[in-house]
């Protein structure tokens, strides 16, 4: 399973259980998570990312349409499950040593 697939699996598990600790564990200690198209973040550091999900948990799971690698960055189109296949944006994941170093999530 790829790092992105593992992240999405843990994210969706967090949505179902309300516990995002396993998802946050997939980030490097000094990771950065940014959002484009919504007024939140960026969040720097695994603890800040975990706290953001604890304070404002998402209410829907995501599904991935396809992925490709662009200059070492894994890029995936994604949708919210409730939107029945309508693309919500992109995820751009930069890996480092088997963990997420940077994740940019776009909306719109």
């Amino acid at each position: 399973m790829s790092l992105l697939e593992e992240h999405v699996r843990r994210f969706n598990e967090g949505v179902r259980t309300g516990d995002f600790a396993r998802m946050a564990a997939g980030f490097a200690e000094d990771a950065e998570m940014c959002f484009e198209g919504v007024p939140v973040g960026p969040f720097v550091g695994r603890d800040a990312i975990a706290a953001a999900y604890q304070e404002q948990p998402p209410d829907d799971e995501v599904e991935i349409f396809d992925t490709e690698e662009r200059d070492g960055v894994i890029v995936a189109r994604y949708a919210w499950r409730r939107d029945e296949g309508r693309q919500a944006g992109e995820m751009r994941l930069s890996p480092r040593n088997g963990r997420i170093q940077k994740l940019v999530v776009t909306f719109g």
Side-chain angles (χ1 to χ4, degrees):
M1 183 176 293
S2 75
L3 185 58
L4 177 67
E5 291 168 329
E6 182 67 18
H7 170 71
V8 168
R9 186 184 68 74
R10 289 177 175 180
F11 174 90
N12 288 342
E13 181 181 280
V15 170
R16 290 189 298 275
T17 66
D19 182 0
F20 288 91
R22 289 194 67 222
M23 185 216 61
F27 285 86
E29 191 172 320
D30 61 345
E32 181 179 359
M33 184 169 198
C34 304
F35 297 93
E36 295 178 0
V38 293
V40 296
F43 303 99
V44 179
R46 183 187 307 139
D47 292 342
I49 293 166
Y53 278 93
Q54 175 109 13
E55 292 168 12
Q56 197 170 26
D59 64 356
D60 195 11
E61 296 180 35
V62 298
E63 59 184 52
I64 299 297
F65 295 131
D66 53 43
T67 62
E68 65 178 298
E69 186 175 325
R70 297 181 197 156
D71 298 322
V73 176
I74 301 163
V75 180
R77 295 181 316 118
Y78 77 93
W80 298 106
R81 288 236 167 111
R82 70 174 163 248
D83 289 342
E84 300 178 1
R86 186 169 38 103
Q87 183 177 342
E90 272 188 354
M91 292 182 190
R92 297 189 297 260
L93 186 151
S94 299
R96 185 180 75 197
N97 298 327
R99 296 199 183 267
I100 300 169
Q101 179 56 43
K102 184 172 185 177
L103 180 62
V104 177
V105 181
T106 70
F107 293 82

